[in-house]
Amino acid sequence: MKNDSMSLICQKILDSQRIAVTSHLRPDGDSICTSLSLAFMGELLGKEIKIINKDKTPFPLNNIPDIEKIQIGQIPGQGFDLVILLECANISRSGQESLDSYFKINIDHHHSNDYYADINWVDPEASAVAEMAYTMGEKLNIPFTPQIANHLYCAIVSDTGSFQFSNTSSRSFEVCHKLLDHGASSIQIAELLFNNNSPEKIKLLGHVLSTLQMNQKGNITTITMFKENLDTLQLKEVDTEDITTLARSIKGVQMVLFFKEVEKNTFRISLRSKGKANAAFVAENFGGGGHLHAAGFTVTGEYQKLLKEIPETVAQLLKKQPKTIPDKQKDITPY
Ligand code: AMP
Ligand code: MN
């Protein structure tokens, strides 16, 4: 079945000339780099490819080679033979508003997908859509250039958290093995993704980690980022995923609650968990939602009170979380 959709997609690409590629709001390493790889693969097939995303590319991905190929805005209502949507569970996730009249292809690797397109290829076994794009490239006999290989490799490293998340499979390594043989540079990608921080970001990391508290049992940890931290360091948009990852690395910790002050007495709480601890189940209890290992919700109240009460409630919820995981929570992370 999955090969059927893929074959239909390959045929549709071969039959099209002008192709638009888009991905989700707040795009990530997988969606950005897979889009770029598809653009170069398409060009090798003699196609005109445009990548158009609603949201701009976040740091550090905005520094990757070829990033200028990505346009920010809306796909015009006409002018393309085909629109490919990457990692979009539904059309609204793309932020694109004029796709009604187009032939659409939906390529995703998340469980929760609405199968809204003319051809849908959804493979939750794939660690990244890049893995799927690689398989498609092989089927189309694309000669993988070092440039294409680099983008696909970068996407898989991003989405597997450097092969640490449980979506990492032997196939991820097999594809990356081949990508390195095709000229992808693991060092260049590691430098770009992980050694590109500003001094302000590392200072922020210090401030946030200095707020770290553990519950008595040692399975829940909290960290906090105050608005003031961002203001004094003149940081606007900042990726804090690595800060959470450090808190989650503490032995015995099942769940990190990252309090992010939005305004006085309002906090967005990002949950990150590991093992069986279900972050989505906890977040839903507070009116939010998300995935097995990454979820979120918003709370209002006095900080010290929240800091005491929320971890206590979370501890209770972890004890009574159901053993079975609903399909919509099955994806480990949102990526
Ligand atoms: P974040 O911690 O903001 O990166 O969010 C992690 C995941 O949780 C993403 O899939 C979000 O869509 C989801 N999420 C965060 N906050 C909420 C919320 N208030 N309601 C539903 N889902 C949320
Ligand atoms: Mn992905």
Side-chain angles (χ1 to χ4, degrees):
M1 182 65 190
K2 119 185 152 188
N3 278 337
D4 280 347
S5 334
M6 189 190 69
S7 304
L8 290 171
I9 291 172
C10 291
Q11 194 54 53
K12 185 67 192 174
I13 290 173
L14 292 173
D15 292 344
S16 305
Q17 183 54 33
R18 302 200 64 212
I19 302 172
V21 177
T22 189
S23 59
H24 50 83
L25 300 170
R26 293 167 64 202
D28 62 8
D30 188 19
S31 60
I32 292 286
C33 294
T34 304
S35 302
L36 288 168
S37 75
L38 286 182
F40 290 113
M41 288 197 243
E43 283 171 15
L44 288 175
L45 294 170
K47 311 296 176 190
E48 295 162 55
I49 316 267
K50 284 223 157 54
I51 307 171
I52 306 177
N53 285 338
K54 166 85 191 323
D55 284 351
K56 68 181 183 15
T57 306
F59 175 87
L61 300 160
N62 56 350
N63 292 311
I64 58 176
D66 312 315
I67 198 68
E68 68 285 350
K69 261 187 124 57
I70 299 183
Q71 296 176 21
I72 307 303
Q74 288 290 320
I75 297 174
Q78 33 191 301
F80 293 98
D81 305 323
L82 168 65
V83 176
I84 300 177
L85 296 101
L86 296 177
E87 317 199 88
C88 291
N90 41 54
I91 293 179
S92 66
R93 182 88 175 103
S94 72
Q96 295 296 332
E97 289 162 5
S98 310
L99 302 186
D100 284 357
S101 62
Y102 282 123
F103 191 98
K104 291 178 276 298
I105 287 176
N106 159 22
I107 304 178
D108 193 6
H109 70 122
H110 297 95
H111 275 275
S112 38
N113 189 289
D114 293 349
Y115 289 76
Y116 53 87
D118 298 286
I119 311 175
N120 301 285
W121 181 25
V122 179
D123 182 5
E125 302 271 296
S127 64
V129 277
E131 220 178 277
M132 301 168 76
Y134 176 84
T135 309
M136 214 165 76
E138 270 190 327
K139 169 103 184 166
L140 287 163
N141 283 319
I142 305 271
F144 291 102
T145 60
Q147 189 181 33
I148 294 172
N150 242 352
H151 286 308
L152 290 172
Y153 179 84
C154 183
I156 296 175
V157 171
S158 292
D159 245 28
T160 57
S162 299
F163 310 105
Q164 291 181 63
F165 301 154
S166 51
N167 58 348
T168 309
S169 66
S170 65
R171 175 70 180 155
S172 327
F173 283 109
E174 184 190 11
V175 170
C176 286
H177 169 176
K178 291 180 179 160
L179 292 172
L180 292 183
D181 284 348
H182 287 301
S185 165
S186 56
I187 293 294
Q188 192 191 328
I189 300 303
E191 284 295 312
L192 188 127
L193 290 177
F194 309 116
N195 294 336
N196 235 332
N197 283 311
S198 66
E200 290 75 20
K201 162 66 194 288
I202 301 303
K203 282 186 193 167
L204 176 75
L205 187 142
H207 288 304
V208 172
L209 288 182
S210 71
T211 67
L212 189 141
Q213 292 195 19
M214 302 287 300
N215 68 338
Q216 203 161 22
K217 194 177 162 197
N219 65 332
I220 298 169
T221 186
T222 59
I223 48 175
T224 304
M225 180 167 72
F226 294 102
K227 234 166 99 29
E228 186 197 4
N229 299 142
L230 290 174
D231 295 346
T232 49
L233 292 167
Q234 298 192 329
L235 287 164
K236 277 203 193 92
E237 282 172 53
V238 61
D239 177 24
T240 53
E241 206 57 39
D242 48 356
I243 308 182
T244 328
T245 302
L246 282 171
R248 195 174 58 170
S249 73
I250 298 169
K251 190 174 177 187
V253 162
Q254 289 180 294
M255 190 167 287
V256 180
L257 311 178
F258 189 172
F259 286 62
K260 297 169 182 169
E261 187 186 40
V262 183
E263 56 186 71
K264 192 169 160 51
N265 291 343
T266 303
F267 295 85
R268 225 164 51 77
I269 300 186
S270 281
L271 304 180
R272 296 293 184 270
S273 64
K274 60 190 179 201
K276 295 208 167 75
N278 188 336
F281 173 74
V282 169
E284 280 170 17
N285 196 270
F286 289 97
H291 306 260
L292 181 60
H293 288 166
F297 61 92
T298 299
V299 284
T300 54
E302 198 264 317
Y303 175 60
Q304 289 301 338
K305 195 162 175 279
L306 294 174
L307 197 61
K308 182 175 178 308
E309 287 174 2
I310 291 182
E312 284 172 5
T313 311
V314 171
Q316 293 309 315
L317 289 167
L318 285 180
K319 277 188 209 152
K320 65 175 197 198
Q321 68 176 25
K323 287 212 164 51
T324 48
I325 304 165
D327 269 358
K328 69 177 172 128
Q329 296 176 355
K330 269 191 183 148
D331 297 309
I332 301 151
T333 67
Y335 322 127

